[in-house]
Amino acid sequence: MTHIDEAPRPAAAAPPRGREKKLPGKDRATVITMVTVPLLLVVLLVWVPAVLSFVLSFGKWNGFGDLDTIEWVGVQNYEDIFTIYPAFWPAVQHNLIWLAFLFVFPTILGMLLAVVLDREMKGSRLYQTAFYMPVVLSLALIGFIWQLFYSRDQGLINQVFNTQVDWYGDPDINLWAVLVATAWRHTGYIMLIYLAGLKGVDASLREAAAVDGANEVKTFFHVIFPVMRPINMVVIVIVVIESLRAFDLVWVINKGRNGLEVIGALVAQNVVGEATRYGFGSALAVIMMVISSVFITIYLRTVFREERSR
Amino acid sequence: MSRTTSSAIPRSTVATMAATRRSVLRGIGLSGLAVGGASMLAACGGDDAGPSTGSGATVKFGINEAEGVGPAYDRLAAMAEAYTKETDTKVSLNAVDHNTFQESINTYLQGTPDDVFTWFAGFRMAQFAENGLITDLSDQWPIDGLNDSFKQAATAPDGKQYFVPVQYYPWAVFYRKSVFEKNGWAPPETNDDFMALMEDMQGKGVTPFAFGDKDGWPAMGTFDILNMRLNGFDFHMSLMAGDEAWDGDEVKQVFETWRTLLPYHQADPLGRTWQEAATAMGKGECGMYLLGTFVVDALGENGEDLDFFTFPELDSSIGSDALDAPIDGFCVASAGQNQEAGKAMAKWLGSAAAADAANSNADAPFIAANEGASTSTYSDLQKKSAEVVGAAANIAQFMDRDTNADFANTVMIPSIQAFLKDPDDIDGVTASIQEQAASIFG
């Protein structure tokens, strides 16, 4: 193992700390541009809409006319969502099921596939392509493809097995049917990310483990997996994001109704199309934002703790 | 959303694929930017050169049918062409997929809309009129050949006309003539006939009613007709306007009756599109189907073997002379650049000449609102549709056109689906509808 960059440098080469603060004019301009441009974009594209959604969530507005036509109703939208909106609690539950399912099945399967493919067996590139193929497709298209399998009267599954299962219409089944379709894509996605991570692991670590007499499984769990901590974090974040933004597939199928309620679809139902309950939809969006910020906070805390402990 | 033309591809897939300016706007709307966006967009407009009307002028014509989806587009395109030929006004056609058009209508009208655009009669039109998004066309009325009931349908609550009707289609009970003939069935005259017919169908292994409600809106037609038969047209309309209680005995009775009819319907409607249900009726697996005349589109034939009857009477004091017959037509956008040309064109679009141009250039003709229009291209089915609608005492537009779109889409669709999932919890469903209606109608 050679860590050239960590080799002790001659003390004279290190610039005195005080001088670091004063950059030459040109460099300073560069730094300022590089900070302000993305900052402005983030503020404009993320924070302004977020704050506006928050403000709107206290109003009742159908989007007609100017802003002064907004009727301010306080927390009524939130109250309605929690008490009389039948779709809300099922949606929260479905998002959670989505999250758990993605973690337990396709994510672990994707990792497993990555580990297997990493061993560079014969035809691994072929498999890699095959597994990755669905990721290229949009989720809307995937919904369409799976419709051909799932249709109750004309679908492939019911035709082949001579059954009459209402895959997309039965609210007890359709969520799972959709999750299988999602998994088809998610597995390939995780596989590719993990594979990239595995390729980056220093080969000498494996050699060292092998010399120490560890078998493959032990090597993976005791050496490789801990080393891949950053990638593991990325995978966790991706799974959380994917389950929170669960939307496209259910929207294609039945616009997120009848057993397929997810928060994202409820937001869309209320603000997209002719039904324009902007206030109500914004309140749902704010709730979604709060939920996702819980995960973001946990993630950031973990990352910062790690940085500090270094 | 009472009608969809894309049959092979799911509606939203088409919408997703058509990345138009509007879908981008819709995306912005989702992220909350629409707040400022809508008013910002209203400020920027094109500056057209040339005269505003007559020869050499340009009218922008927004239509809710994408190119190549079938006769609906062909008819509108033919109308645009005929108008150019007749008046030398250039028509710039803006063709947008049906669902995309409808989903972005709000942003569209508040942004830079086309001068004339395809739209619907009923609450949807009235709502735009109240908010000043469409132009008063009362100076264009009366229009030759459009009778008073159409003028009524074009009138907003303020008493002025904002709409020009072009076509309509009734909702009724459709069946295959050959299937009825083979089994010796006849359209029922009374409710007893009706029940006997359904029993006989079941005895012969045929499901009486085809039924699909995956898209959410088709089942609204069943609610409408039952409500009109059981509680009358006036009650139906004031219920739609939010003036009656949804948890009252009247509405409960509608659901109760519906529950007794459900065993005669195809099972598992929530996983089936209306096209799939229509196919089941087409194949003779189901005897009848309550839908609009657009049922023909899903059968892939011209409908010669298809006939229909209006839903029979359930209460003799109310009768059976009301039905759903949505009217399609045109409005002029207030934010359109060329108001005069838009108005002139809208008026022409309601004429018999416009209807004839449309019908002679498409495979399937529509039923023209204008009574002067030629019916030579009509099939028997269309002639009968025109007759039945002409004879109806009261015409409703369809639930999602007669009531607040917010309420229809976000409350009624899931509520009717909840009822179809669990038909025994009528009290629960109606109570939930009432709570939400109270919150939305305020």
Side-chain angles (χ1 to χ4, degrees), chain A residues 141-169:
Chain A
L141 203 55
I142 288 175
F144 174 47
I145 292 170
W146 283 81
Q147 169 99 56
L148 301 174
F149 293 92
Y150 281 141
S151 165
R152 182 188 181 277
D153 300 346
Q154 295 156 14
L156 188 73
I157 300 178
N158 282 350
Q159 296 278 339
V160 169
F161 297 101
N162 206 12
T163 48
Q164 289 214 319
V165 181
D166 188 11
W167 294 104
Y168 271 174

Side-chain angles (χ1 to χ4, degrees), chain B residues 188-377:
Chain B
E189 301 280 334
T190 64
N191 193 32
D192 291 341
D193 286 357
F194 187 42
M195 297 309 285
L197 174 64
M198 292 197 291
E199 294 290 345
D200 196 44
M201 283 181 173
Q202 279 193 327
K204 288 179 174 157
V206 174
T207 309
F209 269 102
F211 196 32
D213 194 38
K214 184 156 168 270
D215 301 311
W217 53 264
M220 287 175 167
T222 310
F223 180 92
D224 285 356
I225 200 73
L226 290 177
N227 194 26
M228 284 190 276
R229 291 288 177 270
L230 292 165
N231 299 311
F233 178 77
D234 294 337
F235 176 87
H236 180 67
M237 292 318 280
S238 64
L239 179 70
M240 291 298 123
D243 297 334
E244 300 281 350
W246 279 86
D247 56 355
D249 290 341
E250 291 92 346
V251 177
K252 280 183 188 167
Q253 195 199 350
V254 171
F255 282 112
E256 297 282 357
T257 310
W258 197 348
R259 181 172 61 178
T260 61
L261 291 175
L262 277 181
Y264 300 105
H265 283 66
Q266 251 183 318
D268 302 335
L270 300 184
R272 191 181 295 112
T273 62
W274 68 262
Q275 288 96 338
E276 287 171 314
T279 309
M281 193 227 0
K283 286 197 289 195
E285 292 164 11
C286 299
M288 308 174 277
Y289 192 16
L290 173 65
L291 205 75
T293 28
F294 55 87
V295 66
V296 183
D297 297 355
L299 294 176
E301 56 192 86
N302 57 14
E304 266 163 28
D305 191 26
L306 215 57
D307 202 348
F308 68 90
F309 57 89
T310 53
F311 201 88
E313 171 181 302
L314 295 176
D315 179 338
S316 58
S317 65
I318 283 165
S320 60
D321 58 1
L323 76 160
D324 268 337
I327 300 170
D328 293 353
F330 307 94
C331 289
V332 175
S334 302
Q337 293 299 301
N338 202 341
Q339 292 293 309
E340 285 314 309
K343 281 180 170 184
M345 182 174 172
K347 179 169 185 167
W348 182 84
L349 287 169
S351 69
D356 291 346
N359 278 343
S360 56
N361 280 290
D363 291 341
F366 58 48
I367 308 166
N370 195 302
E371 56 195 23
S374 159
T375 56
S376 61
T377 50

